[in-house]
Amino acid sequence: MELIFSPASPFVRKVNVLTHEVGLREQIKLSSVQTTALNTSPDARAANPLGKIPALILDDGRTLIDSRVICRFLNDLSDANLYPNDQLWEVLTLEALADGIMESGVSMVYEARLRPEAQQSPDWVAAQWSKISHALEALERRGFMAMDGDLNMGQLALGCALGYLDFRHNTRDWRSEKPELAGWYAAISSRPSMVATQPEN
Ligand SMILES: N[C@@H](CCC(=O)N[C@@H](CS)C(=O)NCC(=O)O)C(=O)O
């Protein structure tokens, strides 16, 4: 299998963390691309009409797109239990929340990096951070059952989302008023799969 990836992408990191956790790492060739909303890599476009990463090209020629689809596929392929049946909707909800944090975080970066300064909207950036803040508040209150218990894909995705905030938005200092969540993150981010997949430029 071939993963179209970038080491900075939090969505890609979800897939890489999962492959470490379930022992599939060696079965996936990594093909690095540089792609943004304004400058799509031809390889990303060839794999995914949306031009987004991650995309996973399977050995039979089919391509899977979107981290949620790819993660669930690789979980099933490896017979892992990161989407346990008895907590499926809670795990998918936590994963969706984590992906939402990533989406807002990535869109703030795009706003700052891809738009000419005169066209940038502070209101847009504030609105995106507000989504993240509300999510962090709900997480601090432990409003999501799947945060606890056996390791699942929602937890790994949330680890990647919080890691992305450290990577790209560290001046926001999300930990200062979120001691519970900071402790939760410290535990998950010490897993070998998380340590091995730190985001890079
Ligand atoms: N929902 C998608 C989001 C993927 C995504 O937005 N990836 C970013 C990189 S972090 C990307 O490919 N951006 C290029 C673009 O927006 O065209 C997923 O979960 O895989």
Side-chain angles (χ1 to χ4, degrees), residues 9-11 14 35-37 40 50-54 66-68 99 103 106 110:
S9 164
F11 300 101
K14 287 170 61 188
T35 197
T36 71
T40 304
L50 301 173
K52 295 191 177 196
I53 53 173
D66 199 286
S67 61
R68 266 183 263 183
D99 285 8
E103 277 158 22
V106 168
Y110 283 169

Side-chain angles (χ1 to χ4, degrees), residues 9-10 18 21 25-26 28-29 33 38 54 57 61 63 69 86 91 104 111 119 126 146 151 161 169 187 194 199-200:
S9 164
L18 178 142
E21 291 286 347
R25 183 63 206 84
E26 299 307 319
I28 298 182
K29 177 184 158 203
V33 295
L38 287 190
I57 305 170
T63 300
V69 175
D86 60 349
V91 170
S104 288
E111 182 74 8
Q119 288 174 23
L151 184 71
H169 301 289
M194 293 290 290
E200 287 167 28

Side-chain angles (χ1 to χ4, degrees), residues 21-130:
E21 291 286 347
V22 305
L24 281 177
R25 183 63 206 84
E26 299 307 319
Q27 293 179 43
I28 298 182
K29 177 184 158 203
L30 298 176
S31 295
S32 176
V33 295
Q34 285 202 319
T35 197
T36 71
L38 287 190
N39 192 1
T40 304
S41 128
D43 288 340
R45 175 80 80 214
N48 177 356
L50 301 173
K52 295 191 177 196
I53 53 173
L56 182 70
I57 305 170
L58 305 182
D59 294 340
D60 64 9
R62 286 178 298 160
T63 300
L64 303 182
I65 62 167
D66 199 286
S67 61
R68 266 183 263 183
V69 175
I70 296 169
C71 287
R72 195 132 174 217
F73 171 81
L74 293 175
N75 174 74
D76 286 8
L77 185 70
S78 60
D79 264 337
N81 196 26
L82 293 171
Y83 294 92
N85 275 334
D86 60 349
Q87 261 202 318
L88 181 60
W89 305 114
E90 288 78 11
V91 170
L92 288 174
T93 296
L94 185 59
E95 186 178 4
L97 186 83
D99 285 8
I101 293 172
M102 294 177 196
E103 277 158 22
S104 288
V106 168
S107 97
M108 288 167 68
V109 171
Y110 283 169
E111 182 74 8
R113 292 194 176 176
L114 304 185
R115 276 186 204 265
E117 209 169 330
Q119 288 174 23
Q120 290 175 22
S121 162
D123 287 350
W124 170 264
V125 171
Q128 295 306 317
W129 185 255
S130 166

Side-chain angles (χ1 to χ4, degrees), residues 180-193:
E180 269 287 320
L181 187 58
W184 184 94
Y185 176 62
I188 195 136
S189 58
S190 67
R191 293 185 75 83
S193 65

